[in-house]
Amino acid sequence: GLSKPTLRAVPSSVVTIGKQVTIICEGPPNAMEYHFYKEGNPDFQIPTTHQDTEEKNKIFISSIRSHNAGQYWCCYKSPAGTSEHSDTLELVVTGVYSSKVTLSSMSSHVVTSGGYVTLQCSSQEEYNSFILMKEDQIFSMPMASQNTYTGVFQALFRVGPVTPNQRWRFTCYGYYWNSSQPWSFPSNHVELLVSVSQEMHLIFFYFVWTLHNSTIWAEPVTLITSESPITVWCDGT
């Protein structure tokens, strides 16, 4: 049978309202025409007059709006016939809802390598769900909102085990179940710092314990972010 096309969004499938995005349906070289579909459209098909580009396998949206959010799929026609549909692409538009969302850590922002931390996403708006993003990529499954009965709605996300070989920078969004692709504006950023390992603490302790009349210090500081340079000085007498 014919190979299934691949549908993707560039630069991302999560787009801020007013920004541009290109939806690309990738098929074989002998594909003669492409058809795009969107959930909710009549017959689901997107009319070709809505395509603002001459490349037949692309849809260019110059300024995305909330009505552009939704589920998309595509197929192509070749001399051998019509392909099956691509996997569904979920196009999300952020900044649709203006009610503020706040992200915070339930404990310290400094986490030992291999450890876990719980992040709280909350809002005074009655969002049904919250979702956590890491470096602008979806990090978690959506979590149902919990009513704290203090006028705040929240969801808790457990993050870990954290490792020092990557950046742990998060935001979160709120949205409603009945329309899951339009999201709120992003929350504030929360960045977790991965602390030095327990073994490193023991090495420092060993230096101090064995060199009674010495001084040990670190430059620029004793607490640094992962992969940052540090110099450890030991002044003995």
Side-chain angles (χ1 to χ4, degrees), residues 218-221 223-232:
E219 292 181 354
V221 291
L223 179 62
I224 59 170
T225 57
S226 172
E227 299 182 4
S228 297
I230 186 172
T231 302
V232 179

Side-chain angles (χ1 to χ4, degrees), residues 31-236:
M32 298 181 298
E33 59 183 83
Y34 289 84
H35 295 276
F36 291 86
Y37 302 86
K38 181 178 183 293
E39 185 180 30
N41 279 22
D43 300 325
F44 296 110
Q45 189 163 349
I46 300 173
T48 54
T49 53
H50 288 186
Q51 299 181 29
D52 301 328
T53 174
E54 294 181 359
E55 298 180 76
K56 298 185 184 302
N57 70 326
K58 297 180 181 180
I59 297 177
F60 176 68
I61 302 173
S62 59
S63 179
I64 199 165
R65 291 290 178 256
S66 59
H67 68 266
N68 298 124
Q71 294 187 334
Y72 291 76
W73 60 94
C74 71
C75 68
Y76 64 86
K77 288 186 177 181
S78 72
T82 302
S83 73
E84 61 178 304
H85 286 159
S86 66
D87 291 336
T88 300
L89 170 71
E90 187 169 40
L91 187 64
V92 171
V93 180
T94 68
V96 175
Y97 308 121
S98 59
S99 296
K100 185 178 179 181
V101 177
T102 301
L103 184 63
S104 58
S105 174
M106 301 290 285
S107 55
S108 171
H109 287 202
V110 181
V111 188
T112 303
S113 180
Y116 291 80
V117 67
T118 299
L119 299 181
Q120 178 192 57
C121 188
S122 61
S123 177
Q124 292 185 336
E125 175 66 24
E126 195 174 348
Y127 292 119
N128 301 126
S129 293
F130 294 98
I131 193 162
L132 189 66
M133 302 279 286
K134 177 176 178 283
E135 292 296 312
D136 298 323
Q137 299 292 322
I138 294 175
F139 180 78
S140 71
M141 295 292 291
M143 296 289 289
S145 171
Q146 303 292 322
N147 187 349
T148 63
Y149 302 103
T150 60
V152 175
F153 298 84
Q154 69 172 33
L156 302 179
F157 298 90
R158 183 168 167 82
V159 174
V162 299
T163 55
N165 61 347
Q166 57 181 291
R167 191 176 186 184
W168 298 85
R169 189 169 185 257
F170 297 92
T171 53
C172 70
Y173 296 82
Y175 66 88
Y176 301 100
W177 280 333
N178 61 353
S179 184
S180 61
Q181 288 87 28
W183 290 359
S184 68
F185 278 97
S187 70
N188 55 294
H189 288 284
V190 167
E191 182 159 7
L192 303 178
L193 302 180
V194 183
S195 69
V196 294
S197 66
Q198 188 67 28
E199 289 79 8
M200 187 63 76
H201 285 302
L202 290 173
I203 291 171
F204 285 166
F205 177 78
Y206 177 76
F207 278 151
V208 175
W209 183 75
T210 55
L211 302 174
H212 301 288
N213 296 320
S214 65
T215 302
I216 187 170
W217 72 96
E219 292 181 354
V221 291
T222 56
L223 179 62
I224 59 170
T225 57
S226 172
E227 299 182 4
S228 297
I230 186 172
T231 302
V232 179
W233 297 89
C234 184
D235 183 15

